[in-house]
Amino acid sequence: MSIDIGEIKYYPDRFYIKLDGFNTENLTTFLTDLEIGQDHAIFIHEYYHYLTNIATLPGIRQFSLNFCDRFRTLTILTMNEGLNAFPISKNTYKSCEDLVKYWNNTIKILNEDDINYEVVNETKNALNNKFEIVSIEQEIVPVDLKIEGKSINGCRIFIKINIVGLLNIHNFRLTFGAMDEFLSSAIDEFLYEHDLSDIDPSLLSKRPFYPYLFFDELLSFYGIKRSTSFEKIVLVYFALNSANPPSTLITILEKLRDGDYDQFTENPEVYLLSNFSEAPQYKNVLESIKLFAEETYQQDRVHISQALKYYYDKFYIASKLKDDDFFFFIRPFFPFDTTDNFRFKQRFLLELSRIVNIFTPPVILKDKKFRYIDKLTSFGEATALIIATYEIFESLNTNRIATRPKHQKVKYLFPDYDPECDNIAKFTDLPIYGIVFRIALNELGLYQRYLNEQKAKNK
């Protein structure tokens, strides 16, 4: 079966990959049979998106903001005004004012960290489907938030890239989401260069210039024109593991341009750790997730507490592994003897298998069904519950009663395969068994309210 690479995608914070067209039964056998095919190479690309999500400070911080903070906000909105709090987009209650503002600010911050799809789409229509960099500058933007009645004032530091070649866009911000693609795209290049993949290069060349091919343009702007795929991997990995990836990457590239490139190429690991050593403060964000898991447990929201604790453990293990070896997650790509191709491949897969053994690959969506590689833990159930909760977040922004968005219904059913899972008329009295969407509603304190709403209508 042919693979449409444009349909392959990892969904951040939802912890699943869409892999239509793949032979998922043999997806991970390459770790032992030493044969890396097209499916495996694409899988490795997406797997590293997952690792960026769960093993970098910005990735973990994004989940805390995107999931934990919005979960808490939604439950307080419900407590304040009941179902009248929804839709959130039209909520003007004084009791909800700060919460609604925080919800909207959260979405704004997440969007600012994502790939700028306006740039992607505009570039498709440009001459040669690309653009050129004119200059790069730092942009400081004030941030004012109110959380639990407390005002928090600060700022965000962005990297603004001024360009020519697009009709309607003359600058944009470098983002965490774009840099995430820099890493996985550099991994594609590494696999192909070292004969570790038989993926058709034409598949990769068809991808949009931004963000997939833009990293080379960025390096060239700083005078780095012949960097190896390994150098690209180590540069962007190091930056992704800082508190502000775009700012860190540009700071490093400026130093390389100003005379440090030879020192970097001699020993990238030593150079980066010696000159840009930064200890990302995982403690606060990890503690926040852990406390929220405990808080939800004390409120008898045991399913969401279990899901949070599952991923908290993954986040925590990742941070501790990097305490011992900062470059643990890209060790498979570090240079070693390439004269013996079999031994080279064997060493690469051995190093990669260490990572896969600790961090189970994410849930796979194929042919509208979710598939779990790890079936012996709460991994699958936890992820499905998180995905359902995100659907509720999206729905309640514009609806009073949460329903599954149509585009999601077309994409998949949940593991319980119940297309009527969001139909209030079909809701039964508590307890709920096995219907993921309804369990998520109950964890958010909405299920009984919806039952009462339906009973009131039927009187």
Side-chain angles (χ1 to χ4, degrees):
M1 183 183 294
S2 62
I3 295 174
D4 181 356
I5 199 169
E7 291 297 313
I8 307 303
K9 184 179 180 182
Y10 171 70
Y11 290 81
D13 293 354
R14 287 161 173 79
F15 307 116
Y16 77 89
I17 310 174
K18 185 181 178 186
L19 292 180
D20 285 347
F22 276 65
N23 178 359
T24 55
E25 299 301 320
N26 300 318
L27 191 58
T28 57
T29 58
F30 69 94
L31 292 171
T32 52
D33 62 24
L34 305 183
E35 291 298 326
I36 306 179
Q38 175 179 271
D39 289 16
H40 305 126
I42 296 173
F43 169 75
I44 292 171
H45 173 111
E46 301 301 334
Y47 180 61
Y48 266 86
H49 285 315
Y50 174 62
L51 293 179
T52 298
N53 195 170
I54 67 172
T56 66
L57 175 60
I60 298 169
R61 189 172 55 202
Q62 175 178 281
F63 176 75
S64 179
L65 186 70
N66 195 7
F67 188 83
C68 300
D69 283 16
R70 288 209 288 164
F71 192 106
R72 182 184 284 109
T73 299
L74 193 148
T75 56
I76 299 174
L77 285 170
T78 309
M79 181 177 65
N80 285 355
E81 297 294 341
L83 296 185
N84 292 327
F86 311 115
I88 296 173
S89 60
K90 296 182 179 179
N91 186 319
T92 58
Y93 289 100
K94 190 67 178 175
S95 63
C96 302
E97 185 177 2
D98 290 339
L99 291 165
V100 171
K101 184 178 179 182
Y102 184 73
W103 179 280
N104 291 330
N105 279 333
T106 297
I107 294 173
K108 181 173 180 287
I109 290 169
L110 293 168
N111 288 337
E112 288 172 340
D113 282 341
D114 198 3
I115 295 169
N116 187 327
Y117 287 98
E118 289 183 11
V119 176
V120 176
N121 294 328
E122 183 88 4
T123 306
K124 290 179 182 178
N125 299 321
L127 185 65
N128 298 324
N129 304 121
K130 63 176 296 184
F131 53 81
E132 294 182 6
I133 301 172
V134 174
S135 63
I136 296 176
E137 59 187 288
Q138 192 179 84
E139 183 181 11
I140 301 175
V141 178
V143 175
D144 299 311
L145 299 173
K146 186 173 282 188
I147 304 173
E148 297 179 353
K150 297 179 181 178
S151 295
I152 298 176
N153 302 313
C155 67
R156 296 196 74 196
I157 299 174
F158 295 98
I159 296 298
K160 185 167 77 171
I161 300 178
N162 300 305
I163 61 171
V164 292
L166 300 186
L167 185 62
N168 300 306
I169 297 175
H170 307 295
N171 60 70
F172 63 92
R173 291 168 176 166
L174 182 61
T175 64
F176 172 66
M179 289 179 57
D180 186 13
E181 288 294 356
F182 292 175
L183 176 61
S184 285
S185 296
I187 288 172
D188 293 337
E189 188 179 331
F190 180 95
L191 296 176
Y192 183 74
E193 283 181 359
H194 292 84
D195 197 28
L196 290 168
S197 162
D198 65 357
I199 190 171
D200 184 348
S202 66
L203 285 175
L204 303 179
S205 65
K206 291 177 182 176
R207 296 181 301 188
F209 170 73
Y210 184 81
Y212 299 99
L213 309 176
F214 177 68
F215 193 23
D216 284 331
E217 186 81 9
L218 190 61
L219 293 171
S220 181
F221 179 77
Y222 285 98
I224 305 167
K225 301 183 185 297
R226 293 184 178 84
S227 58
T228 66
S229 55
F230 165 69
E231 289 168 358
K232 293 176 189 177
I233 289 169
V234 75
L235 272 172
V236 74
Y237 171 87
F238 187 89
L240 282 169
N241 279 279
S242 68
N244 188 333
S247 181
T248 298
L249 179 62
I250 297 306
T251 298
I252 295 170
L253 294 182
E254 288 174 345
K255 290 278 287 181
L256 299 187
R257 176 198 60 194
D258 295 341
D260 281 10
Y261 186 64
D262 288 343
Q263 187 182 348
F264 165 73
T265 57
E266 183 178 343
N267 193 323
E269 179 177 3
V270 170
Y271 173 79
L272 291 171
L273 291 175
S274 300
N275 291 279
F276 305 96
S277 183
E278 178 184 338
Q281 299 301 309
Y282 282 89
K283 182 178 179 181
N284 290 341
V285 68
L286 286 174
E287 188 67 16
S288 175
I289 294 171
K290 182 180 180 181
L291 288 174
F292 187 56
E294 290 297 332
E295 179 185 342
T296 51
Y297 177 76
Q298 293 300 323
Q299 296 170 349
D300 291 329
R301 306 175 199 263
V302 293
H303 296 284
I304 206 65
S305 178
Q306 182 186 48
L308 288 167
K309 286 179 179 179
Y310 177 87
Y311 279 101
Y312 166 81
D313 288 342
K314 294 301 178 186
F315 300 152
Y316 179 82
I317 292 168
S319 70
K320 289 305 175 185
L321 284 167
K322 286 191 297 186
D323 284 345
D324 293 334
D325 177 6
F326 186 85
F327 294 95
F328 173 82
F329 290 96
I330 56 168
R331 279 295 162 201
F333 307 99
F334 269 73
F336 43 87
D337 184 16
T338 60
T339 56
D340 184 335
N341 186 58
F342 179 78
R343 295 286 292 174
F344 176 80
K345 184 182 290 186
Q346 190 178 54
R347 168 75 182 275
F348 172 82
L349 292 173
L350 174 63
E351 293 291 341
L352 183 61
S353 68
R354 292 183 63 209
I355 300 169
V356 175
N357 286 339
I358 301 171
F359 299 93
T360 301
V363 167
I364 294 169
L365 175 62
K366 180 188 175 187
D367 302 329
K368 300 184 179 182
K369 294 181 180 179
F370 288 112
R371 301 160 190 261
Y372 311 148
I373 290 177
D374 179 355
K375 297 180 180 179
L376 294 177
T377 70
S378 61
F379 159 71
E381 291 77 8
T383 306
L385 184 63
I386 285 171
I387 295 169
T389 305
Y390 273 119
E391 288 191 1
I392 295 167
F393 289 168
E394 293 169 7
S395 176
L396 287 177
N397 193 50
T398 53
N399 298 318
R400 185 168 182 267
I401 303 293
T403 57
R404 291 202 63 209
K406 290 181 180 179
H407 69 281
Q408 300 290 26
K409 287 185 176 183
V410 171
K411 188 187 295 183
Y412 55 74
L413 290 176
F414 282 104
D416 45 73
Y417 304 121
D418 184 355
E420 295 291 308
C421 65
D422 61 341
N423 185 345
I424 293 182
K426 300 289 182 71
F427 283 15
T428 59
D429 287 329
L430 296 171
I432 309 162
Y433 297 103
I435 302 178
V436 176
F437 191 83
R438 297 180 190 176
I439 292 173
L441 286 173
N442 195 49
E443 296 292 280
L444 285 162
L446 292 169
Y447 188 83
Q448 188 62 53
R449 291 177 185 271
Y450 289 173
L451 275 179
N452 295 342
E453 178 97 351
Q454 187 65 16
K455 289 174 181 177
K457 286 182 179 180
N458 292 337
K459 283 184 179 179

